[in-house]
Amino acid sequence: MSEYLFSPPAIASVPIRGRSERFAVNRIFCAGRNYHAHAAEMGSSVNKGVDPPFYFTKAANTLVPSGATVAYPPGTKNYHYEMELVIALGKPGFRVSEADAHQLIYGYASGLDMTRRDIQLFAREKGRPWDLGKDFEESAVCSEVVPMPGVALERAAIALEVNGTTRQSSDIDKLIWNVREIIADLSRYYHLQAGDLIYTGTPEGVGAVVAGDHLTGRVEGVAEIALTIGPAE
């Protein structure tokens, strides 16, 4: 007889390049407005000397593998893509320094932070949480994890195309808070764990997609990612 009333959900995971084991996902953290040009296109500005970084989260069960087809989500008429570098942690850490932050890194992936933009902006205007706009089913797309233990990436081209047309093109050297800084800052508030994913933010060029659209993206030296938008349920 089971000790649970109903079967618990399966462990969320993504493949690891070159290994048979999978990367079990614990939590998904997302850095907000981490490129100046994207902050500007969202009607904001960031002063790194004054403004601290901020984050939102997505549940592990929002995870979708690269190559999937996802349904156009309910409740929105403005469904956006956000192409991102994803950090995959392989060790725990709490209150780590920027100098030591790289020691927590297992590797990297390419990710898409899919967003119900109209709902997010309405919540922002009302001073409410972003959960309905960000943390919803099939909203965290992730490629395979590429092992790079202890490596803090500093430069890598990042790009996304929709139906073959380039929509986003930048470099992670334009991150306002870089890989080391993000890990160190998050560890001030959380006991980071192996299995945590950190979506590091998106460059400018975000925009809406509709059913039938095909997205392809990549982070140079890391991985490619693909997603097809299906019809609404």
Side-chain angles (χ1 to χ4, degrees), residues 97-137:
S97 67
E98 290 178 22
D100 294 333
H102 66 284
Q103 297 178 15
L104 275 59
I105 298 170
Y106 174 77
Y108 297 90
S110 292
L112 290 169
D113 165 21
M114 302 303 291
T115 301
R116 294 192 278 210
R117 187 72 73 201
D118 44 0
I119 296 177
Q120 180 204 12
L121 294 180
F122 178 81
R124 188 180 76 176
E125 291 169 2
K126 298 291 186 181
R128 298 174 181 173
W130 291 4
D131 298 59
L132 283 177
K134 288 288 192 179
D135 184 12
F136 58 94
E137 294 161 353

Side-chain angles (χ1 to χ4, degrees), residues 52-170:
F54 74 95
Y55 311 94
F56 54 92
T57 61
K58 291 178 182 263
N61 64 7
T62 66
L63 202 65
V64 175
S66 175
T69 296
V70 300
Y72 193 94
T76 184
K77 295 182 180 178
N78 197 18
Y79 181 41
H80 278 214
Y81 55 82
E82 296 189 7
M83 180 69 202
E84 311 202 7
L85 169 71
V86 180
I87 306 166
L89 300 186
K91 294 180 180 179
F94 181 57
R95 295 176 179 161
V96 301
S97 67
E98 290 178 22
D100 294 333
H102 66 284
Q103 297 178 15
L104 275 59
I105 298 170
Y106 174 77
Y108 297 90
S110 292
L112 290 169
D113 165 21
M114 302 303 291
T115 301
R116 294 192 278 210
R117 187 72 73 201
D118 44 0
I119 296 177
Q120 180 204 12
L121 294 180
F122 178 81
R124 188 180 76 176
E125 291 169 2
K126 298 291 186 181
R128 298 174 181 173
W130 291 4
D131 298 59
L132 283 177
K134 288 288 192 179
D135 184 12
F136 58 94
E137 294 161 353
E138 299 183 324
S139 65
V141 189
C142 193
S143 74
E144 63 183 352
V145 170
V146 180
M148 297 185 194
V151 175
L153 286 181
E154 296 179 354
R155 295 182 62 91
I158 182 170
L160 180 120
E161 297 89 35
V162 178
N163 302 325
T165 299
T166 299
R167 298 290 183 84
Q168 293 185 278
S169 181
S170 188

Side-chain angles (χ1 to χ4, degrees), residues 218-233:
R218 71 204 54 81
V219 177
E220 179 185 20
V222 178
E224 297 194 351
I225 195 167
L227 184 71
T228 299
I229 311 302
E233 295 180 324

